[in-house]
Amino acid sequence: MRRFALLATAAATLVLAPSTAGAVTLISSYSVPNGTDLSGFANVGDNRLGGFGSDLSYDASTGTFWATTDRGPGGGVLSYAPRLQGFTLNLDAGGKINGFTLTNTVLYHDGANNYNGLNPQLLNGSVADLGRSLDPEGLARLPNGNFLVSDEYGPSVLEFRADGQFIRAFEVPSNLVPHDGKGGVDYVGGAGTIVTGRQDNRGFEGLTVSKDGKTAYAILQDPLVNEGRAPDGAANGVYSRNTRIVEFDVATGKQTKQYVYQLAAVDELNAGLTKNLFDAEKQGRSIGVSSLQAVGDNKLLVLERDNRGFGVDDPNGKKQVADKRVYEVDLTNATDVKDLSLAGTNELPAGVTPVAKSATPFLDIAAALQAAGYPVPEKIEGFSFGPRLADGSYALIVVTDNDYSVTQSGSGEQFDVCTGGLTGKGGSAEVKLGAACPKGKTLIPNMVYSFKVGADEYAKLTGAVPEPQTWAMMLAGFGAVGAAMRRRRKPMPRALV
């Protein structure tokens, strides 16, 4: 098998009780350089190991982490085959990452035809024909080993086999489908063209599956384009905090409910900034949701983030970051709003209850990174619980999408983004795709972070009861046993590429 390792270099929101202080601890930061993946493609833009942190899922049976790319460099105007990247982490007994090994590259495909990140107009010749245009952002693994993938174009939820073969598409709720002013479907148009449905590039960003595999949850990154109110009275979702979680029955692929999730308020975030405050119209556009994880009956962890931090648009990390936080939410008492429109308002109607959201974050990622002296990436987009550690705690792995360290001109020409450091002193440069960075500068890496979640906190979240044999192993020297088990693990056979 081919393998290689990369070495480090409004309406009031209901609240839950805050999580135990100190229950989640940052253990390590690991940098994954922009090497080549296992796709076998020849061109740099087609085979770069980048952008794989759009979402993350862990297979405990093999010790493999599965991460999905998005539509690729180019923002939907350049051809790219979206894919899964499978990898293992060399975690020590305390959860520190000491190595990263890419084990699998799997292309999403339907028979001999690969899905493509090109937008529907460019790929299919029509803004109304979704075809095989795919912008994957959410990932969840089913009990049968298949994957559910959520997409921003539709917004869609698709099921794929582990080898990337398409199986089926879930129902797309009609209120989420983007329509223009004449009622036509338009998967490409942006503000001013789309008047109802999801905002452009703000479709299903997060996806998860309940522990029993029967229920899927997908969340829109931001409010629907018409579910908000501008100061002039126009319906405009960029002014709203109210985005939607859609609940699906996995067996049928049909939606069962929709819930309101309320984003952190811009005023609250601005209170922690000294410059570059968020304008009101950034509420439902620059603040959004990146990932979901089901942790118990009707309970989810939700990763929120702003659009700031080091990345291709800020290669020296100069802007202040306000929101990279994971919240605990409970759906139990939330109102089903699948048949209710919030058009033209930033408030919730009387009698509508949003999902309950923890008053304080379960994990403030930005604060943890800053406290450790690490820069904060812009696109912290995926997270997943990993293996159990020697002391009975659990690893929580967080990944970033580095946009392949690529930006592009208005004409679609790609450029690599090189950074001289995150102090701002080294400057940055753009070079031709695949060309060497100037001396002292490197491509922006993909970042992987490990956090440790205490056993008690994990049990409270998930309702898990420690297995007696696990504790016996721990007392007998769990660290050594765990290390031996990791050495014996074999990755899954490389899937079709």
Side-chain angles (χ1 to χ4, degrees):
M1 178 187 306
R2 234 178 126 194
R3 297 169 53 118
F4 65 88
L6 296 171
L7 301 178
T9 57
T13 302
L14 295 185
V15 298
L16 303 174
S19 300
T20 306
V24 186
T25 307
L26 175 64
I27 302 300
S28 69
S29 169
Y30 194 93
S31 175
V32 180
N34 290 263
T36 56
D37 65 14
L38 302 176
S39 63
F41 292 132
N43 296 328
V44 174
D46 294 328
N47 66 11
R48 177 169 291 176
L49 180 64
F52 64 81
S54 285
D55 209 356
L56 190 67
S57 179
Y58 179 61
D59 179 3
S61 67
T62 63
T64 302
F65 289 92
W66 291 97
T68 187
T69 67
D70 56 18
R71 61 187 171 181
V77 300
L78 297 171
S79 181
Y80 178 82
R83 63 203 65 178
L84 285 166
Q85 304 287 15
F87 62 88
T88 58
L89 296 175
N90 179 3
L91 293 173
D92 68 16
K96 180 182 178 182
I97 305 172
N98 292 310
F100 172 105
T101 301
L102 183 67
T103 60
N104 305 72
T105 295
V106 180
L107 304 185
Y108 298 116
H109 64 276
D110 188 2
N113 300 308
N114 292 329
Y115 281 81
N116 199 293
L118 282 169
N119 71 51
Q121 175 68 62
L122 294 175
L123 186 65
N124 310 310
S126 170
V127 298
D129 180 8
L130 196 57
R132 285 189 300 278
S133 290
L134 181 65
D135 184 6
E137 293 290 352
L139 182 69
R141 189 170 179 272
L142 294 171
N144 64 3
N146 288 350
F147 289 97
L148 293 183
V149 175
S150 65
D151 149 76
E152 286 207 301
Y153 280 133
S156 311
V157 175
L158 309 178
E159 182 176 353
F160 294 91
R161 287 196 320 235
D163 64 359
Q165 170 61 43
F166 170 74
I167 301 296
R168 60 171 174 156
F170 280 23
E171 170 191 40
V172 181
S174 59
N175 63 319
L176 310 189
V177 178
H179 287 85
D180 62 24
K182 296 180 180 180
V185 174
D186 188 336
Y187 294 114
V188 179
T193 299
I194 300 301
V195 298
T196 63
R198 60 102 179 108
Q199 295 185 52
D200 61 296
N201 202 34
R202 294 295 188 272
F204 282 147
E205 186 77 13
L207 179 69
T208 191
V209 174
S210 60
K211 189 163 50 177
D212 61 11
K214 295 180 179 180
T215 306
Y217 301 95
I219 191 167
L220 293 171
Q221 183 172 352
D222 281 299
L224 298 178
V225 68
N226 56 315
E227 292 199 332
R229 182 181 177 87
D232 64 2
N236 195 332
V238 301
Y239 290 90
S240 175
R241 297 171 56 198
N242 302 316
T243 191
R244 288 175 179 253
I245 297 173
V246 181
E247 178 184 289
F248 293 94
D249 176 74
V250 171
T252 64
K254 303 291 186 181
Q255 75 157 335
T256 52
K257 295 179 180 179
Q258 293 184 25
Y259 307 101
V260 172
Y261 175 88
Q262 296 195 302
L263 301 165
V266 161
D267 289 345
E268 171 201 336
L269 299 179
N270 284 342
L273 299 174
T274 58
K275 58 182 179 179
N276 302 126
L277 303 185
F278 289 100
D279 295 329
E281 67 267 23
K282 302 300 183 182
Q283 173 67 79
R285 188 70 185 178
S286 294
I287 313 300
V289 174
S290 277
S291 188
L292 285 178
Q293 289 291 327
V295 291
D297 293 340
N298 291 322
K299 291 185 179 180
L300 308 172
L301 292 180
V302 177
L303 170 58
E304 277 191 32
R305 69 169 181 88
D306 57 21
N307 63 348
R308 297 178 178 178
F310 83 82
V312 295
D313 294 325
D314 187 10
N316 298 116
K318 293 181 179 180
K319 284 188 177 181
Q320 279 187 307
V321 171
D323 191 13
K324 315 285 185 186
R325 300 166 178 165
V326 178
Y327 290 93
E328 182 183 352
V329 304
D330 192 325
L331 311 178
T332 303
N333 297 314
T335 304
D336 177 9
V337 293
K338 69 176 181 296
D339 298 319
L340 177 67
S341 173
L342 304 176
T345 179
N346 298 324
E347 309 298 329
L348 292 182
V352 173
T353 302
V355 300
K357 180 179 177 183
S358 54
T360 57
F362 169 78
L363 170 61
D364 189 330
I365 299 173
L369 296 181
Q370 290 165 340
Y374 298 141
V376 181
E378 176 195 355
K379 292 190 172 182
I380 299 176
E381 292 199 352
F383 72 106
S384 177
F385 286 101
R388 194 167 193 174
L389 302 175
D391 62 359
S393 61
Y394 284 82
L396 179 65
I397 305 300
V398 176
V399 291
T400 69
D401 170 10
N402 73 333
D403 283 326
Y404 310 83
S405 197
V406 170
T407 190
Q408 55 278 327
S409 68
S411 63
E413 185 178 3
Q414 291 177 306
F415 297 93
D416 279 335
V417 179
C418 305
T419 179
L422 300 171
T423 62
K425 296 180 180 179
S428 61
E430 293 181 5
V431 300
K432 185 177 179 180
L433 184 68
C437 283
K439 185 177 180 180
K441 295 180 175 61
T442 62
L443 297 176
I444 296 168
N446 298 271
M447 299 304 300
V448 184
Y449 304 100
S450 66
F451 292 83
K452 183 166 68 172
V453 180
D456 289 345
E457 181 66 15
Y458 183 84
K460 185 180 77 172
L461 275 174
T462 65
V465 178
E467 300 175 5
Q469 61 267 35
T470 302
W471 291 107
M473 287 173 65
M474 198 174 75
L475 293 172
F478 185 91
V481 174
M485 290 176 68
R486 283 193 295 275
R487 285 195 296 270
R488 291 198 300 270
R489 284 178 180 149
K490 296 182 179 179
M492 293 178 67
R494 182 182 170 194
L496 180 67
V497 297

